[in-house]
RNA sequence: GGGCCCCUAGCUCAAUUGGCAGAGCAGGAGACUUUUAAUCUCUUGGUUGUGGGUUCGAGUCCCACGGGGCCCA
């Protein structure tokens, strides 16, 4: 790690982060692969087997940020995304018609969409993510593995893999010699069996007996389309592959040179694509980086079989979710990028993924932390406005805020604290115009509702869907007649004074002095006189009374704000004794 | 059996190829005719899980241990 002093100096002038380093690695990889004039390829991959959740999003964004960094250095680069939609449909998730079990074993692109809105299962889950990525400013070249495999694009690589299957097996077997896990009890054993049956390792299962065991290629049955096939014979000269299907009992032959009816097993498929696509950088979940897992094995295979080099790699950790217990059951699943974008501005969601190193796990909180997150973001934004303070944090802000092609992502023209927007949204009936007027009155002048977007909409959604009921302010729907009938003499006087002097058109300043002034008036003082201790005590009681009558609680949002949110008529109806 | 991440203020967490341990909230003091779920100012708070090692210098790197979590087989 020795460095020249001049480089140390440049490090000090320009902050760096994990993105800088990953981009350095990718560029170095491209140079060492002897292709100086080639476009650098940063690859991501995902299987559209279900909702693409916030953990999967890390795959896309990690690559995106690295590609952006390379692009901004003026080096040709592409973000290539593979949809693993030729993978088998593994199991029917809860909430889907159990009859979909019929499709288990078929490619995700060949399973119909249970909701009927897209052309296939795969498309159903791709579409919402594609929309979210557009909002996030992520542009990528998308490739469908179904299209690639079925077009024969990998024909030569498949033939090579099959021809070299003994070498492949030699590599794979080295990683398979570990002791089988030991289950401590029956329950654990059951869980273990389930895990194994469900894991990607399933691809390793025997595809036939003897020489054909662990065959690197798996045909989809020509008759029923499932991968429930067992290879019965393979002729190296003709490349005819014979198989039987255990589900439909079909006996067939597919020719690997001329017909394109199957795919390589995952651990061979991945390195094959590194070679074909010339991948210089590709991240993966930390699980892919464990010894014996796909990256480790693939690294050897790409070299031995395809004469390529494994891309530079970063393993990313999992993304947790918090603060949405209420939602998980009703939605029947984990939150997606689209869910997060309902409450977070696109740059903030990007920021969450760029500010921490990939190997560090983090949690996206849909609960009260959202307010803090916005505050932190706004404060970082103020810091970023000062060029003298450009450090790694500001760099993260820059990466989050803009992309080379999309430019600056949408942020409100007038930045109002999220806390203010959401608490106002809480007490109004959710009318954006009304919120906008109140926000102006609270010292955030702006020309139109649009000036507050996209933040206002997200604050409204958050308040409505994510703030627990006990933390919300519920304005009474009708007057509390019992309480109004039981007013003390003082209380009656206060209310009378207030209602008498409250104008139909409320504005913040006069309303504030009126609310604080009522107890003074009741004691024969002027409305602008300084308060005495007695008056202060009265104010406390008066405020509590107002909260009880308006929102059925002892405390609440500041009264002048609350009054303005409700409007004079509503306040009057809730405070007028019968 | 193996790998990875985490342990830092009362709480939630920062500290980005080793360079003065920092925020927010909570707590305390104060300001504004204003005491509320507003705003602002100041402020208390630390043996960085434990024990070793490397280094001019360690929250950061290495080894061991304890605790929590994730993953692979």
């Amino acid at each position: 790690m020795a460095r020249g002093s001049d480089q140390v100096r440049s490090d000090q002038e320009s902050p760096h982060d994990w993105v800088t380093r990953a981009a350095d690695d990718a560029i170095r990889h491209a140079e060492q692969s002897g292709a100086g004039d080639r476009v650098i390829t940063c690859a991501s991959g995902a299987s559209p087997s279900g909702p693409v959740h916030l953990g999967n999003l890390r795959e896309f964004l990690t690559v995106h940020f690295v590609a952006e960094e390379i692009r901004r250095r003026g080096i040709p680069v592409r973000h290539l995304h593979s949809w693993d939609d030729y993978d088998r449909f593994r199991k029917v998730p809860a909430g889907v018609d159990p009859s979909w079990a019929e499709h288990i074993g078929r490619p995700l692109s060949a399973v119909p969409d249970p909701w009927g809105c897209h052309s296939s299962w795969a498309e159903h889950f791709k579409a919402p993510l594609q929309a979210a990525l557009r909002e996030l400013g992520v542009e990528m070249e998308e490739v469908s593995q179904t299209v690639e495999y079925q077009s024969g694009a990998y024909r030569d690589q498949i033939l090579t893999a099959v021809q070299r299957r003994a070498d492949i097996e030699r590599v794979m077997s080295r990683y398979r010699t570990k002791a089988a896990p030991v289950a401590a009890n029956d329950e654990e054993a059951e869980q273990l069996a389930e895990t194994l049956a469900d894991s990607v390792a399933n691809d390793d299962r025997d595809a036939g007996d003897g020489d054909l065991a662990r065959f690197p290629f798996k045909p989809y049955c020509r008759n029923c389309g499932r991968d429930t096939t067992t290879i019965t014979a393979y002729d190296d000269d003709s490349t005819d592959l014979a198989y039987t299907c255990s589900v439909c009992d079909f006996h067939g032959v597919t020719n690997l040179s001329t017909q394109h009816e199957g795919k390589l097993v995952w651990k061979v498929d991945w390195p094959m694509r590194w070679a074909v696509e010339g991948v210089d950088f590709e991240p993966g979940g930390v699980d892919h980086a464990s010894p014996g897992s796909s990256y480790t094995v693939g690294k050897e295979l790409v070299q031995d079989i395809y004469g390529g080099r494994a891309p530079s790699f970063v393993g990313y950790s999992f993304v947790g979710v918090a603060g949405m217990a209420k939602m998980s059951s009703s939605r029947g699943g984990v939150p997606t990028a689209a869910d997060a974008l309902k409450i977070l501005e696109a740059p903030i969601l990007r920021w969450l993924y760029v500010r921490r190193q990939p190997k560090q796990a983090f949690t996206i909180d849909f609960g009260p932390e959202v307010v803090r997150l916005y505050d932190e973001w706004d404060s970082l934004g103020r810091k970023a406005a000062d060029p003298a303070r450009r450090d790694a944090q500001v760099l993260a802000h820059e990466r989050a805020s803009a992309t080379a092609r999309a430019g600056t992502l949408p942020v409100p023209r007038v930045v109002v604290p999220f806390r203010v927007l959401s608490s106002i949204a809480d007490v109004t009936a959710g009318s954006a115009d009304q919120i906008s007027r109140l926000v102006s009155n609270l010292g955030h002048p702006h020309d139109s509702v649009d000036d507050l977007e996209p933040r206002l909409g997200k604050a409204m959604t958050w308040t409505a869907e994510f703030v627990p009921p006990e933390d919300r302010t519920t304005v009474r729907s009708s007057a509390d007649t019992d309480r109004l009938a039981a007013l003390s003499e003082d209380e009656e006087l206060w209310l009378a004074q207030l209602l008498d002097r409250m104008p139909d058109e409320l504005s913040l300043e006069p309303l504030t002095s009126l609310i604080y002034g009522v107890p003074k008036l009741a004691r024969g003082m002027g409305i602008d006189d300084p308060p005495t201790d007695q008056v202060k005590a009265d104010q406390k009681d008066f405020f509590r009374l107002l909260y009880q009558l308006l929102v059925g609680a002892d405390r609440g949002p500041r009264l002048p704000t609350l009054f303005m949110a409700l409007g004079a008529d509503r306040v009057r109806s809730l405070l007028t004794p019968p």
Side-chain angles (χ1 to χ4, degrees), chain A residues 88-297:
Chain A
R88 73 193 303 262
F89 179 58
R90 287 209 189 107
K91 66 174 184 183
V92 184
V96 171
D97 188 335
S99 71
W100 248 255
E102 178 203 337
H103 301 295
I104 288 174
R106 294 190 173 128
L108 294 167
S109 53
V111 176
D113 178 2
W115 300 271
C117 43
H118 294 87
S119 59
S120 71
W121 181 279
E123 291 304 320
H124 181 86
F125 292 109
K126 280 185 198 178
L129 184 79
Q130 287 165 329
L133 288 176
R134 270 194 297 279
E135 191 174 341
L136 287 166
V138 175
E139 288 179 53
M140 51 191 198
E141 265 177 53
E142 295 178 57
V143 167
S144 156
Q145 288 309 308
T146 300
V147 171
E148 296 299 298
Y149 267 106
Q150 290 182 342
S151 72
Y154 304 135
R155 190 191 76 137
D156 293 347
Q157 287 74 24
I158 290 170
L159 289 172
T160 303
V162 168
Q163 201 179 347
R164 304 276 309 276
R165 60 187 180 277
D167 297 321
I168 291 174
E169 172 55 18
R170 209 166 296 131
V171 171
M172 301 238 269
S173 66
R174 277 216 313 280
Y175 293 97
R176 237 188 330 251
T177 54
K178 303 203 174 72
V182 182
N185 53 49
D186 288 352
E187 197 185 322
E188 204 174 300
E190 203 174 298
Q191 218 172 354
L192 207 57
E194 222 169 88
T195 311
L196 284 176
D198 195 39
S199 79
V200 181
N202 220 13
D203 281 347
D204 285 350
R205 72 194 183 284
D206 290 3
D209 295 322
D211 180 44
L212 300 177
R214 325 268 194 194
F215 205 74
F217 180 86
K218 180 74 145 177
Y220 278 110
C221 173
R222 189 177 302 156
N223 183 53
C224 75
R226 300 184 184 91
D227 74 341
T228 46
T229 50
T230 303
I231 296 167
T232 53
Y234 179 71
D235 180 33
D236 280 295
D237 296 327
S238 67
T239 73
D240 275 341
L241 181 146
Y243 63 90
T244 60
C245 175
S246 63
V247 171
C248 73
D249 207 32
F250 180 77
H251 290 52
V253 174
T254 182
N255 186 279
L256 298 190
S257 306
T258 60
Q259 295 174 300
H260 315 298
E261 300 178 295
K263 68 187 290 287
L264 291 170
V265 298
W266 163 242
K267 283 182 181 175
V268 182
D269 177 79
W270 203 18
M272 179 276 289
R273 271 152 40 193
W274 292 341
V276 172
E277 292 157 356
V279 178
D280 296 299
F281 170 76
E282 180 160 1
V286 283
D287 48 316
H288 286 308
S290 302
S293 66
S294 29
Y295 182 78
T296 337
V297 176

Side-chain angles (χ1 to χ4, degrees), chain A residues 298-416:
Chain A
K299 194 171 180 171
E300 282 198 44
L301 291 181
V302 70
Q303 204 161 354
D304 293 357
I305 309 300
Y306 296 113
R309 275 183 69 227
S312 61
F313 177 87
V314 300
Y316 52 84
S317 294
F318 290 80
V319 177
V321 177
M324 59 180 314
K326 289 268 157 43
M327 269 188 62
S328 53
S329 56
S330 66
R331 306 216 161 205
V334 289
T336 63
D339 292 325
L341 284 171
K342 282 165 67 183
I343 62 168
L344 298 179
E345 291 168 7
I348 297 184
L349 186 57
R350 291 166 61 90
W351 183 50
L352 288 173
Y353 285 83
V354 78
R355 69 175 174 162
R356 290 203 219 297
Q357 304 189 62
K359 69 177 176 183
Q360 196 170 357
F362 69 92
T363 298
I364 297 181
D365 198 323
F366 286 74
E369 287 292 298
V370 168
V371 173
R372 204 189 101 149
L373 183 65
Y374 269 93
D375 283 348
E376 231 180 296
W377 171 253
D378 289 343
S379 135
L380 180 57
R382 287 187 291 271
K383 178 177 171 184
D386 178 359
R389 304 179 68 189
R390 189 161 182 274
D391 61 8
Q393 289 178 334
V394 172
L395 180 60
H397 185 272
E398 291 168 4
R399 297 196 193 282
S401 301
T403 72
R405 287 189 194 142
T408 303
L409 295 163
V411 287
R413 273 192 293 276
V414 176
V415 173
V416 178

Side-chain angles (χ1 to χ4, degrees), chain A residues 530-572:
Chain A
T532 62
D533 286 350
Q534 185 61 61
V535 161
K536 287 187 178 184
D538 287 351
Q539 285 173 334
K540 213 163 198 167
D541 292 340
F542 180 47
F543 293 157
R544 189 175 324 119
L545 173 67
L546 291 175
Y547 285 124
Q548 285 167 352
L549 292 173
L550 294 173
V551 299
D554 286 346
R555 310 195 307 166
R558 284 179 66 86
L559 287 165
T561 317
L562 182 58
F563 272 46
M564 297 203 42
L566 297 180
D569 290 347
R570 189 107 182 267
V571 170
R572 230 179 266 285

